[in-house]
Amino acid sequence: LGKCLLSPIVLAAYAYNRSLSELGPGGRGEDEPGVLCQLFAFLMAFFGLAPTLLLLAMALECWLSLGHPYFYRRHLTRRLGATLGPAAAGLCALFCALPLLGFGVPMQYCPGTWCFIRMAGGGPSQLGFPVLYASLMGLLVLAIVACNVSSMRHLYGMARRQPRRGAPPATAPRMEELDHLVLLGLMTVLFTVCSLPLIIRAYMGAFAADFNENADLSALRFLSVNSIVDPWVFIIFRTSVFRTFVRRFCRRLS
């Protein structure tokens, strides 16, 4: 959904050879970006935070189902899962709308086809939101990594305890748990690597007064790469050829 909403705006800017503020003027001041740029910054912030919150919900569910199955069976219902998505999206929308109300400043980035929240070169009222945004992202990343590492530990224990069917107990463990273990590990590393640059840039801009537009743009691109690559990692890993390769590699390690 984020790619479908944001990509047409970028393509229109390139097609007309104009910046986002020129395509959608209407800012309250001369230095303030246009309405389209403000909308773009809101969507970028929202689709950076909302999927992270949903990933945390998925990581918590995985951790509870593996580590605390009785609690999971009793308290986690389909109704709770159905209400969690809209509730997370609503909270993220309210939080990311704060710059539109004056707490934080949307900024157009070079070459004029990107807009995001200003992360350096402003006063406390302007830099308070990016620091808060980065802190929230950092807490979500830490929580997701902790849940996934715990889930991987449980999966590894299951794989060690359950040998393959029809094989002696001394042979290699069943590979089903290892399939999920490797997939979870890959997605955790990918998510962490893609999320950390934006968090680091927000703190450097606020506390070290490091105004580097190219570095900020690279951090935003890293954040965008995660939502593009993650589904491909999942799709490719679920193919039989790749899973056979992983299983052979794990058997050699064993």
Side-chain angles (χ1 to χ4, degrees), residues 119-161:
M119 292 190 289
S125 61
Q126 297 176 339
L127 297 180
F129 179 80
V131 172
L132 188 60
Y133 186 90
S135 301
L136 182 58
M137 283 283 292
L139 290 175
L140 292 177
V141 170
L142 287 177
I144 291 170
V145 170
C147 290
N148 285 348
V149 168
S150 179
S151 299
M152 291 163 63
R153 183 176 61 85
H154 288 299
L155 285 171
Y156 182 73
M158 292 168 60
R160 291 291 300 270
R161 290 193 300 268

Side-chain angles (χ1 to χ4, degrees), residues 18-247:
R18 301 173 69 184
S19 67
L20 296 185
S21 294
E22 292 173 340
L23 280 178
R28 288 172 291 184
E30 294 182 358
D31 297 332
E32 186 175 351
V35 176
L36 188 61
C37 183
Q38 296 181 31
L39 175 64
F40 195 96
F42 167 78
L43 292 176
M44 281 290 295
F46 174 79
F47 287 110
L49 186 62
T52 308
L53 195 58
L54 292 178
L55 281 175
L56 176 60
M58 295 168 64
L60 282 172
E61 183 196 15
C62 185
W63 171 63
L64 288 173
S65 64
L66 291 172
H68 306 277
Y70 295 109
F71 180 88
Y72 176 83
R73 181 73 174 176
R74 171 173 291 186
H75 295 286
L76 271 71
T77 61
R78 288 181 178 270
R79 185 176 181 180
L80 176 62
T83 57
L84 191 59
L91 289 174
C92 290
L94 291 176
F95 179 77
C96 295
L98 290 177
L100 304 178
L101 303 177
F103 184 63
V105 178
M107 174 184 171
Q108 180 175 274
Y109 283 81
C110 182
T113 56
W114 290 72
C115 286
F116 196 65
I117 309 303
R118 176 185 289 273
M119 292 190 289
S125 61
Q126 297 176 339
L127 297 180
F129 179 80
V131 172
L132 188 60
Y133 186 90
S135 301
L136 182 58
M137 283 283 292
L139 290 175
L140 292 177
V141 170
L142 287 177
I144 291 170
V145 170
C147 290
N148 285 348
V149 168
S150 179
S151 299
M152 291 163 63
R153 183 176 61 85
H154 288 299
L155 285 171
Y156 182 73
M158 292 168 60
R160 291 291 300 270
R161 290 193 300 268
Q162 299 178 14
R164 289 188 302 171
R165 294 184 180 91
T171 59
R174 283 174 57 188
M175 290 296 161
E176 183 179 356
E177 290 82 7
L178 290 179
D179 287 339
H180 295 292
L181 175 66
V182 174
L183 176 62
L184 198 60
L186 286 174
M187 297 183 74
T188 302
V189 172
L190 176 66
F191 166 75
T192 305
V193 170
C194 291
S195 302
L196 284 179
L198 180 65
I199 299 172
I200 295 172
R201 285 303 308 164
Y203 278 107
M204 290 181 65
F207 297 109
D210 182 16
F211 185 77
N212 189 336
E213 195 169 344
N214 291 329
D216 293 342
L217 187 57
S218 298
L220 293 176
R221 285 171 174 164
F222 264 98
L223 190 65
S224 300
V225 163
N226 179 57
S227 59
I228 299 173
V229 177
D230 245 353
W232 284 104
V233 170
F234 186 81
I235 292 169
I236 293 173
F237 187 82
R238 301 303 294 177
T239 60
S240 58
V241 175
F242 191 80
R243 294 177 71 176
T244 301
F245 168 76
V246 172
R247 292 180 180 187

